[in-house]
Amino acid sequence: MHQHTTSLLAALTAAVLLSACAGGAPQAAATARNQPARPAGGHGLDAFLGSYDANRDGQVTRAEFDAIRLQRFKAADANGDGWLSEAEYVAEFEGRLKRQYFDQGRQPDAAYENNIKQAHTRFGIVNRARDGKFTWAEDQAIADKTFTGLDTNGDGVVSKADPQRPREQRADND
């Protein structure tokens, strides 16, 4: 029962915080400038820019990327112990997924449920120590790989100007 209550509290906390950060109804790109980064889902450059371009200038600096990841990590750490349990990790993801569905005017469906199942599986992968405690250090290791992989021109900024790697290379390195 306690685990269920903690999971529910974490999900609600993440949803409230992300809703507050996300703003109102979707806006055109021109008016989205200077709005908080949207909690987009998915993979690839567009999803990355949608999630981490905090000032909506079409590019993501490492500072923007790290600040949003830290904000999400701290918001997901419902009990403040400095690490995320599987329930906290999945609740944070589910909050972003719910926001994405809301923004698109969609109701949870089979794909939604599969994404939640995948989040549980992903926790087992990202928790490298296999101790059930996803730490900020583990998150930073992922962040380093992600940012470096997308900043293909090495200028310290990710944007559509970065040449995309061929699919085969992305699969090997992601």
Side-chain angles (χ1 to χ4, degrees):
M1 179 67 178
H2 181 264
Q3 181 67 23
H4 177 71
T5 302
T6 301
S7 297
L8 182 59
L9 180 58
L12 291 173
T13 301
V16 167
L17 287 170
L18 290 171
S19 293
C21 293
Q27 301 173 349
T31 60
R33 195 171 187 78
N34 297 320
Q35 293 295 314
R38 303 296 293 174
H43 302 282
L45 185 60
D46 287 336
F48 182 86
L49 292 171
S51 290
Y52 298 107
D53 182 8
N55 64 0
R56 294 302 193 220
D57 64 355
Q59 58 186 15
V60 176
T61 65
R62 185 59 196 254
E64 282 177 303
F65 180 59
D66 287 341
I68 290 172
R69 287 184 75 96
L70 181 59
Q71 176 189 27
R72 287 179 180 173
F73 189 92
K74 286 182 175 182
D77 185 12
N79 61 4
D81 59 10
W83 52 270
L84 304 183
S85 65
E86 183 173 345
E88 289 171 322
Y89 178 88
V90 172
E92 187 279 331
F93 172 76
E94 187 169 16
R96 289 187 288 128
L97 186 62
K98 282 180 180 178
R99 184 67 202 192
Q100 179 183 352
Y101 267 67
F102 176 81
D103 286 350
Q104 296 171 353
R106 295 171 57 193
Q107 294 295 318
D109 53 14
Y112 178 95
E113 294 303 323
N114 286 335
N115 277 308
I116 298 302
K117 287 178 187 175
Q118 187 178 30
H120 285 280
T121 300
R122 197 167 43 251
F123 179 83
I125 295 167
V126 300
N127 177 224
R128 298 280 187 185
R130 307 291 187 257
D131 59 1
K133 299 176 179 181
F134 182 60
T135 65
W136 178 243
E138 288 170 319
D139 190 75
Q140 280 302 123
I142 294 165
D144 290 342
K145 184 177 178 183
T146 300
F147 196 89
T148 301
L150 290 171
D151 182 18
T152 57
N153 64 8
D155 66 354
V157 175
V158 175
S159 71
K160 292 198 180 224
D162 284 288
Q164 294 298 293
R165 296 177 291 148
R167 183 175 212 73
E168 303 79 38
Q169 288 180 1
R170 289 193 308 260
D172 290 343
N173 294 323
D174 292 343

